[in-house]
Amino acid sequence: MYAKASAPEYQGALTTLSVNSSLVDVLAAGTEQLRAAERTGARAEAARSGLAVAEAHRRLGQVADADRAWKASYRAAREAGDTAAMAWALWSGGTLARQRGAFPLAWRLLGLAAELGEQGGDIVVRGYSLAGMAETGRIQGDYAAVGALHEQLLAEARKRGEARHTVWALEGIAQMHRNTGSYDTAYAMFEEAAQIAGRADDRRGHAWALRGLADIVSVRDGDADRALALLAEAEVSCREMNLTSALAYNHKMRGNVLYRAGRYAEARDVYTQALAEFRAMSEPRGEALSRLGLAKSLARLGHDLDETAAELADLARDLERIGLRHAHRMVAQAQAEFGIETATRTPLSTGTGTSPADPVDAGSAASAVVTPAVVPSAAVTPAAVAPTFVACDAVSGADRADAKGRR
């Protein structure tokens, strides 16, 4: 039996906010409470309200604001000596790093967050941080490394009756089954996630589950109309809650459905819309996937094959740099689909270690590699985390330069 879904990232004076609260409302309430806490010198409350501000900015796609907010929340928590609040801030920063495609940094921040959560006695932030590590590996396509962790977190969430976390784990495992061709298993898990989210009034989780169902209905059953109806239902929640990133991924999936149905002109238009949305929020994974769909749609509409080949080759290089294994395979499939010959490429790394292209200083105290199934056991101190801020700023600058160059 699952209780109504809650939002543990809304803390302090903001615990009355719902998991379904509009992000615009969350940002307004969080900012107001943060200013009040700063005026009175209440550092612990500033850290907690700052977390909500950071998460609202992140989910609205306001990357620079989110980056500043989570760091400010961490500093306030450190000054207050609140270890659990420090962990929550690092979780937010790690989630933002993953959203920006800075996967090595995401591993580091989320690993530190899990450790501090354990030290601070907050099992929720520890669980969220482990989940974030699992999701990072899954997004990179390293299923062997994080599959067991997903299953472990699902079992723990079911045992505690945590609807939101159960829905997250089901959707993650379902996505891995979908990407490896186990469509029936994936459909059943997305369907269970949708049912649990619906009963627990978790509209965000429900919207993501509907998106997963639409994907399966499209690729397995070839039923474009039903898939589009599911996406339209999910879009209502995305718009009402101002879920900017989820809405962009909804549009990207709509493009996928239309492309599979042979409606290439419509797919082109939707991919173009999604691409603009992802670029506006500096989200490289969604941008890459939208570019791929757009290139394929244009090719089907008679676009020059040499230009298509050049775009796919450039996209493959970007995915190599980012470390998205599954998406990289999708580009290879597209090249094969259009008969484009490619030179042998260097295999992708797992993305969990340090590479020469790693934007994080390999010599810093925060650079220890975190593997998916292991939480760092060494004591984490504010001094150990401090270099991460410099690295994070460097990554932000690199991402902005990259994005500018691609426009």
Side-chain angles (χ1 to χ4, degrees):
M1 184 67 180
Y2 295 96
K4 186 176 180 180
S6 61
E9 66 269 34
Y10 302 152
Q11 303 173 6
L14 301 173
T15 54
T16 56
L17 290 174
S18 162
V19 68
N20 297 323
S21 294
S22 162
L23 293 176
V24 173
D25 294 341
V26 171
L27 182 57
T31 300
E32 180 181 0
Q33 187 59 35
L34 174 59
R35 288 172 179 165
E38 289 175 337
R39 284 195 301 269
T40 60
R43 304 307 295 160
E45 181 58 35
R48 301 285 178 170
S49 53
L51 172 66
V53 171
E55 281 300 285
H57 278 308
R58 179 183 69 79
R59 290 166 177 163
L60 287 167
Q62 299 162 357
V63 174
D65 291 327
D67 194 46
R68 286 189 290 268
W70 82 259
K71 292 174 184 175
S73 174
Y74 175 84
R75 293 187 182 104
R78 181 178 60 191
E79 291 169 11
D82 190 333
T83 303
M86 290 165 63
W88 276 108
L90 289 171
W91 164 78
S92 180
T95 306
L96 176 65
R98 181 179 66 240
Q99 182 172 313
R100 292 204 322 259
F103 296 115
L105 181 58
W107 282 106
R108 291 178 177 85
L109 292 176
L110 292 166
L112 290 167
E115 175 69 18
L116 284 178
E118 186 169 13
Q119 290 181 16
D122 190 327
I123 62 171
V124 178
V125 70
R126 181 181 181 276
Y128 269 55
S129 300
L130 288 174
M133 294 166 72
E135 186 164 350
T136 301
R138 176 176 58 78
I139 286 172
Q140 290 182 274
D142 201 356
Y143 301 157
V146 299
L149 183 54
H150 271 82
E151 295 285 358
Q152 172 194 330
L153 294 168
L154 173 59
E156 292 177 1
R158 287 191 190 278
K159 184 177 180 180
R160 290 197 293 266
E162 294 176 354
R164 191 179 175 202
H165 224 73
T166 300
V167 167
W168 165 84
L170 282 168
E171 291 171 350
I173 297 168
Q175 191 65 49
M176 288 187 280
H177 280 299
R178 180 262 180 264
N179 288 346
T180 52
S182 299
Y183 298 134
D184 292 347
T185 301
Y187 185 90
M189 298 188 82
F190 277 128
E191 188 173 47
E192 183 184 0
Q195 292 170 351
I196 293 173
R199 291 195 296 267
D201 195 24
D202 174 8
R203 296 187 68 189
R204 182 185 294 114
H206 190 254
W208 281 106
L210 291 179
R211 176 183 172 276
L213 287 172
D215 186 25
I216 302 297
V217 166
S218 167
V219 72
R220 182 191 67 180
D221 306 334
D223 191 341
D225 289 340
R226 184 180 171 217
L228 292 172
L230 288 166
L231 290 170
E233 181 182 350
E235 183 165 345
V236 173
S237 293
C238 292
R239 291 192 179 281
E240 289 180 353
M241 296 174 63
N242 303 108
L243 301 175
T244 307
S245 179
L247 182 60
Y249 275 106
N250 181 293
H251 290 158
K252 195 275 299 179
M253 182 57 69
R254 182 179 294 274
N256 291 359
V257 171
L258 292 168
Y259 182 87
R260 291 170 190 149
R263 296 159 62 174
Y264 301 124
E266 293 175 79
R268 173 201 58 200
D269 294 344
V270 177
Y271 281 130
T272 300
Q273 177 187 2
L275 179 57
E277 291 168 337
F278 285 121
R279 281 181 168 166
M281 68 181 80
S282 300
E283 188 161 342
R285 174 172 168 255
E287 180 179 342
L289 293 171
S290 299
R291 284 176 61 196
L292 175 59
L294 180 58
K296 291 170 61 178
S297 299
L298 289 171
R300 289 292 183 183
L301 292 169
H303 193 67
D304 183 79
L305 188 59
D306 288 340
E307 292 184 15
T308 299
E311 169 67 358
L312 291 176
D314 184 62
L315 187 51
R317 286 190 292 270
D318 279 354
L319 292 168
E320 190 88 26
R321 174 182 54 80
I322 296 170
L324 292 172
R325 299 171 65 87
H326 176 69
H328 191 276
R329 288 191 290 270
M330 292 169 64
V331 172
Q333 290 168 359
Q335 290 168 328
E337 179 180 344
F338 295 104
I340 297 170
E341 294 185 2
T342 59
T344 302
R345 292 180 296 272
T346 303
L348 281 170
S349 66
T350 61
T352 57
T354 301
S355 68
D358 189 341
V360 181
D361 177 10
S364 77
S367 67
V369 174
V370 180
T371 58
V374 180
V375 180
S377 58
V380 178
T381 65
V385 179
T388 305
F389 293 118
V390 178
C392 210
D393 289 335
V395 173
S396 297
D399 282 349
R400 285 193 293 273
D402 260 356
K404 184 178 180 181
R406 285 194 296 269
R407 279 170 174 74

